[in-house]
Amino acid sequence: MAPSGPWPALPALLVLLRALFPGLGNAETSVSPTKVILPRGGSVVVKCSTSCDQHTLLGIETPLPKKELLPGGNNWKMYELSNVQEDSQPMCYSNCGDRQSTAKTFLTVYWTPELVELAPLPSWQPVGKNLTLRCQVEGGAPRANLTVVLLRGEEELSRQPAVGEPTEVTATVLVSRDDHGANFSCRTELDLRPQAELFKNTSAPHQLQTFVLPATPPQLVSPQVLEVDTQGTVVCSLDGLFPVSEAQVYLALGDQRLDPTVTYGVDSLSAKASVSVTAEEEGTQQLLCAVILGNQSQETRQTVTIYSFPAPNVTLTEPEVSEGTEVIVKCEAHPRAKVTLNGVPAQPPGPTAQFLLKATPEDNGRSFSCSATLEVAGQLVHKNQNQELRVLYGPRLDERDCPGNWTWPENSQQTPVCQAWGNPLPELKCLKDGTFPLPIGESVTVTRDLEGTYLCRARSTRGEVTREVTVNVLSPRYGIVIITVVAAAAILGTAGLTTYFYNRQRKIRKYRLQQAQKGTPMKPNTQATPP
Ligand SMILES: *[C@@H]1O[C@H](CO)[C@@H](O)[C@H](O)[C@H]1NC(C)=O
Ligand SMILES: *[C@@H]1O[C@H](CO)[C@@H](O)[C@H](O)[C@H]1NC(C)=O
Ligand SMILES: *[C@@H]1O[C@H](CO)[C@@H](O)[C@H](O)[C@H]1NC(C)=O
Ligand SMILES: *[C@@H]1O[C@H](CO)[C@@H](O)[C@H](O)[C@H]1NC(C)=O
Ligand SMILES: *[C@@H]1O[C@H](CO)[C@@H](O)[C@H](O)[C@H]1NC(C)=O
Ligand SMILES: *[C@@H]1O[C@H](CO)[C@@H](O)[C@H](O)[C@H]1NC(C)=O
Ligand SMILES: *[C@@H]1O[C@H](CO)[C@@H](O)[C@H](O)[C@H]1NC(C)=O
């Protein structure tokens, strides 16, 4: 851009003009370049030229530090201007004769912002609420080319010019579930194209946490009354939570913090804890369940009544009595309870009941039950207690359980049964001739040896009873004797009859022969012989 280059004929022309109009001095000052965009603090080389052919005064006027670059020419000079901190317009000047002319160059300084910062986000932001993003920008020039962009991840939410110094740019976002975990940031764009580049500065990102906590309180399922030294189960649940994994549960009974097991559903949670109470906690206690999500919580309270209710005491004058003894059965319970003894409610209703009983053997092992009912916070709670009576009786041996007479066929399979009764249970022995035992309760093959009369003796600490048991064995030999006798009788009878008839026939025949020999006419003998 040396002015001498493209205008080789110009000095000659100027000489001619000057000759024609002496003293006019209309020489022109020019500057190159006329527009410069440079980074703040940078340097620029400016060339001032003049068309004046005379020996002239040529210079530059600027507050910037300047340095003339040598060697210059007859009618031009080069300057290096440095440390340009702000926009300025250095001016070249030249004097041609008595006339001065000037030319300005426009220096535009650019610099990227010193601060680009997104204001901190609330740690938790409810879904469905507006969130205002604020971006603070300090510095940066030229402002006309500086834009502020608010971003969700890489998505542009808003693009605005930076106005004012410092400047704050805001944008409002209606927070949704998708924003949970999203990174918000802001970015400045200093667009100096095409002369220079596009400069981008981005703030540190801020991650947003969003949540949904329904307006409904948690559902609390718990026993309304709880007995001292027992365990109860408490369940607290809530639906419609987002993000459910971030939700926390606080469960406490009075001052006692419970340690629940929490199960998470898609958008629900359920906390289950077992609670045990001691006598110190007797009375009414507050059960509290709080579900905490984000910076909010929802809670439910319930009253639990803690009571103590010992089982009623069933007493017998003596737990073990002899038959015929009178026994008092008595039940005593908590002073506010109402008892029922053996199914019969106390009269008048109250905590005690009793009755008198004459012990019989049937009462041995009989259980007396007492049921007590107590009202706790409007609920009826029950407790039972049993007591068993033992009656001492016997020993006994009777026909029903120890029959006195058995008649069994020989060689058959039989089980002799004899049961002695009594409390304590008597010892039983049945002996024949004092030595031979009856195999009671065993299956035996009946032999003649079994036959006989046994003396059964039942013995307990309470005494002794005896009973005779006779075993008759039906021998098969009796049968054979009878058959033999009958058969013999039959044979003898037949033989006797045969002999009689034979003898009779013989006598008849003899008689007829005698008659014929006495001279009676002879008749044929045919009819005389019976078949
Ligand atoms: C802005 O970005 C430029 C490069 O584009 C960088 O040199 C400068 O340090 C950044 N400014 C800040 C404040 O980070
Ligand atoms: C929760 O945070 C939001 C936004 O930060 C705030 O407006 C609200 O008051 C907070 N709520 C509670 C209960 O702290
Ligand atoms: C959120 O802001 C927009 C405007 O920015 C407004 O129209 C809307 O009603 C606001 N919503 C809520 C829930 O505040
Ligand atoms: C947000 O940034 C954090 C780290 O700063 C990163 O772990 C997380 O994945 C980012 N979230 C998204 C949605 O990109
Ligand atoms: C800067 O902004 C102005 C006004 O919008 C525009 O005329 C100019 O071309 C832009 N670029 C530079 C490098 O100044
Ligand atoms: C039952 O008996 C025990 C011991 O004798 C006694 O401590 C308790 O108070 C009695 N319970 C009732 C309900 O009377
Ligand atoms: C045994 O039974 C027979 C008849 O079956 C009877 O004659 C006898 O008297 C009975 N003896 C006893 C001890 O009952």
Side-chain angles (χ1 to χ4, degrees):
M1 283 203 230
S4 55
W7 309 103
L10 194 62
L13 184 64
L14 286 173
V15 169
L16 176 69
L17 284 172
R18 193 77 39 105
L20 289 173
F21 312 98
L24 196 63
N26 59 347
E28 289 299 326
T29 305
S30 62
V31 62
S32 165
T34 53
K35 267 189 193 173
V36 179
I37 182 146
L38 76 166
R40 184 169 67 164
S43 309
V44 66
V45 174
V46 176
K47 184 179 184 181
C48 295
S49 314
T50 178
S51 54
C52 187
D53 57 344
Q54 300 161 24
H55 193 77
T56 64
L57 180 68
L58 179 64
I60 190 161
E61 195 182 295
T62 177
L64 295 167
K66 63 184 176 194
K67 182 179 157 198
E68 191 179 343
L69 298 178
L70 293 172
N74 268 345
N75 53 355
W76 58 272
K77 280 183 181 171
M78 294 248 270
Y79 297 97
E80 186 189 63
L81 309 179
S82 58
N83 194 20
V84 186
Q85 290 293 336
E86 51 192 18
D87 293 0
S88 74
Q89 290 136 32
M91 190 169 71
C92 293
Y93 61 87
S94 66
N95 288 346
C96 198
D98 57 353
R99 195 184 155 84
Q100 188 176 56
S101 66
T102 60
K104 276 183 183 173
T105 179
F106 292 85
L107 301 186
T108 305
V109 165
Y110 74 84
W111 47 294
T112 55
E114 287 160 333
L115 177 82
V116 180
E117 193 174 84
L118 186 72
L121 304 176
S123 52
W124 286 95
Q125 178 73 9
V127 166
K129 288 269 162 65
N130 275 337
L131 169 69
T132 303
L133 301 171
R134 297 176 191 280
C135 184
Q136 195 82 25
V137 177
E138 280 177 26
R143 279 301 175 92
N145 302 75
L146 187 64
T147 310
V148 182
V149 186
L150 285 160
L151 299 162
R152 168 170 45 208
E154 289 303 311
E155 177 198 354
E156 289 188 10
L157 298 170
S158 157
R159 174 176 280 275
Q160 296 170 43
V163 181
E165 173 64 65
T167 185
E168 186 184 73
V169 171
T170 63
T172 300
V173 197
L174 185 61
V175 170
S176 76
R177 291 183 182 214
D178 295 338
D179 293 325
H180 184 69
N183 292 317
F184 288 86
S185 61
C186 92
R187 181 171 76 204
T188 55
E189 291 182 4
L190 184 62
D191 190 357
L192 304 174
R193 291 170 298 183
Q195 293 95 323
E197 334 161 22
L198 171 67
F199 297 96
K200 292 183 179 178
N201 285 85
T202 306
S203 73
H206 287 292
Q207 198 167 19
L208 185 69
Q209 288 182 292
T210 63
F211 69 99
V212 180
L213 181 66
T216 51
Q219 206 180 32
L220 187 54
V221 178
S222 135
Q224 284 169 10
V225 298
L226 199 53
E227 192 183 347
V228 162
D229 296 330
T230 64
Q231 279 212 336
T233 301
V234 174
V235 179
C236 179
S237 52
L238 188 60
D239 288 354
L241 299 167
F242 173 85
V244 69
S245 59
E246 300 283 343
Q248 290 178 345
V249 184
Y250 176 86
L251 254 181
L253 178 66
D255 300 332
Q256 182 192 355
R257 170 128 196 219
L258 307 180
D259 181 24
T261 305
V262 185
T263 35
Y264 293 93
V266 175
D267 70 343
S268 63
L269 65 74
S270 171
K272 189 174 179 179
S274 68
V275 53
S276 54
V277 289
T278 59
E280 288 86 70
E281 292 168 285
E282 203 172 329
T284 57
Q285 297 279 359
Q286 284 286 311
L287 180 66
L288 167 69
C289 175
V291 175
I292 303 138
L293 184 55
N295 65 346
Q296 297 177 4
S297 76
Q298 284 287 354
E299 60 180 51
T300 301
R301 284 170 196 273
Q302 193 173 308
T303 301
V304 178
T305 303
I306 293 157
Y307 67 94
S308 80
F309 182 27
N313 284 340
V314 182
T315 50
L316 306 170
T317 25
E318 264 182 279
E320 188 171 82
V321 295
S322 294
E323 69 182 297
T325 313
E326 287 193 333
V327 179
I328 297 170
V329 183
K330 193 169 175 183
C331 177
E332 266 183 304
H334 186 282
R336 286 195 294 111
K338 292 188 176 75
V339 297
T340 298
L341 183 55
N342 261 17
V344 182
Q347 277 311 328
T352 57
Q354 69 175 61
F355 66 86
L356 185 73
L357 165 98
K358 189 161 184 175
T360 64
E362 286 67 41
D363 292 324
N364 183 38
R366 185 172 164 192
S367 184
F368 298 95
S369 70
C370 181
S371 155
T373 306
L374 182 69
E375 194 185 309
V376 182
Q379 289 198 7
L380 292 180
V381 293
H382 305 276
K383 278 287 172 76
N384 294 319
Q385 189 67 270
N386 293 335
Q387 192 71 47
E388 201 180 274
L389 177 66
R390 288 190 304 284
V391 180
L392 299 173
Y393 70 95
R396 280 189 190 173
L397 273 175
D398 53 29
E399 177 61 26
R400 192 163 56 95
D401 298 305
C402 189
N405 214 353
W406 282 303
T407 302
W408 291 325
E410 193 175 356
N411 293 328
S412 64
Q413 205 67 25
Q414 302 292 342
T415 304
V417 175
C418 180
Q419 172 76 55
W421 292 110
N423 180 25
L425 194 67
E427 184 195 358
L428 176 70
K429 261 190 196 138
C430 296
L431 294 175
K432 182 171 70 172
D433 306 329
T435 52
F436 190 81
L438 184 64
I440 292 165
E442 290 169 33
S443 179
V444 291
T445 307
V446 176
T447 62
R448 292 208 61 78
D449 292 344
L450 204 63
E451 194 167 58
T453 298
Y454 294 80
L455 185 65
C456 290
R457 190 184 297 273
R459 184 186 296 167
S460 78
T461 50
R462 292 180 52 86
E464 174 179 311
V465 289
T466 56
R467 179 172 166 79
E468 280 190 348
V469 171
T470 305
V471 177
N472 303 301
V473 177
L474 276 185
S475 170
R477 267 181 293 164
Y478 289 128
I480 290 165
V481 168
I482 290 164
I483 289 164
T484 312
V485 168
V486 170
I491 290 163
L492 286 174
T494 311
L497 279 176
T498 310
T499 311
Y500 166 76
F501 279 115
Y502 174 77
N503 286 336
R504 191 167 164 246
Q505 282 299 330
R506 216 175 46 157
K507 279 179 189 159
I508 291 170
R509 223 179 288 141
K510 207 173 168 181
Y511 167 76
R512 282 191 184 145
L513 191 63
Q514 282 168 358
Q515 289 293 316
Q517 285 168 348
K518 278 181 192 170
T520 51
M522 262 308 260
K523 279 184 184 171
N525 207 16
T526 48
Q527 67 189 102
T529 43

